[in-house]
Amino acid sequence: MAGRYFDDWSIGDRIEHEIRRTVTETDNLLFSTMTHNPQPLHLDIEAAKASEFGRILVNGTFTFALMVGLSVGETTLGTLVANLGYDKLVNPKPVFIGDTMRCETEVTDLKPSKSRPNAGIVTFTHRLINQRDEIVCQCLRTALIERRASPPQ
């Protein structure tokens, strides 16, 4: 399913996204190096073993980006004008190499755009959940989305 237009959303709409993704060592290594994040917890197995986690901890910004990516196909693909912001981002549980992620989305606010009559603002709550049904990442995403048709004047 492609992204939905502003007119197609209602507050309370929920999606359990079908795509799942198992996080690999390569994902974590490439993302950490591409973003110049030298945190030993992400890259140094000996430092990670000595931490309270006892193993490599997946980069939290990768976790966030994966959550948004898993949601795009069924929320904003082809209808997005712009992402306006991400708020209340939390990572309540760690992610480890080998964890399998799934994403759920709920629409928590809708409002027509005052400056763009051909678009509206949708606020999504995204939740990334691991194979143990633990929420590992959550945020509010505010997006400017095209309308299917211009509103009546």
Side-chain angles (χ1 to χ4, degrees), residues 106-142:
E106 181 177 355
V107 174
T108 52
D109 195 28
L110 293 170
K111 57 186 166 189
S113 172
K114 292 178 183 173
S115 62
R116 295 185 184 223
N118 62 336
I121 299 168
V122 180
T123 302
F124 300 103
T125 297
H126 294 307
R127 292 179 193 88
L128 191 67
I129 302 161
N130 66 18
Q131 71 276 10
R132 293 177 295 281
D133 291 325
E134 299 168 324
I135 295 173
V136 298
C137 190
Q138 180 173 301
C139 80
L140 296 179
R141 173 180 168 216
T142 305

Side-chain angles (χ1 to χ4, degrees), residues 1-152:
M1 165 201 296
R4 297 184 194 176
Y5 291 93
F6 174 77
D7 317 80
D8 299 333
W9 292 109
S10 297
I11 292 175
D13 283 351
R14 296 180 60 87
I15 299 172
E16 291 187 19
H17 303 284
E18 290 187 32
I19 297 175
R20 292 173 186 250
R21 179 75 149 63
T22 299
V23 178
T24 68
E25 182 177 10
T26 301
D27 295 331
N28 184 60
L29 178 63
L30 287 177
F31 194 89
S32 294
T33 56
M34 284 189 318
T35 58
H36 297 278
N37 184 339
Q39 175 54 254
L41 288 173
H42 305 320
L43 301 171
D44 180 336
I45 197 161
E46 295 305 318
K49 281 181 184 176
S51 75
E52 68 180 270
F53 304 105
R55 55 188 162 157
I56 292 284
L57 184 65
V58 172
N59 186 318
T61 51
F62 171 80
T63 301
F64 163 70
L66 178 60
M67 176 178 66
V68 174
L70 290 175
S71 76
V72 166
E74 296 169 297
T75 57
T76 60
L77 183 64
T79 59
L80 180 73
V81 177
N83 284 311
L84 302 178
Y86 299 92
D87 296 299
K88 299 183 180 179
L89 175 65
V90 294
N91 296 90
K93 295 280 186 177
V95 174
F96 301 106
I97 293 165
D99 282 351
T100 299
M101 302 291 118
R102 63 184 172 86
C103 183
E104 296 177 354
T105 298
E106 181 177 355
V107 174
T108 52
D109 195 28
L110 293 170
K111 57 186 166 189
S113 172
K114 292 178 183 173
S115 62
R116 295 185 184 223
N118 62 336
I121 299 168
V122 180
T123 302
F124 300 103
T125 297
H126 294 307
R127 292 179 193 88
L128 191 67
I129 302 161
N130 66 18
Q131 71 276 10
R132 293 177 295 281
D133 291 325
E134 299 168 324
I135 295 173
V136 298
C137 190
Q138 180 173 301
C139 80
L140 296 179
R141 173 180 168 216
T142 305
L144 184 63
I145 298 178
E146 295 175 359
R147 284 181 172 268
R148 185 173 293 285
S150 296

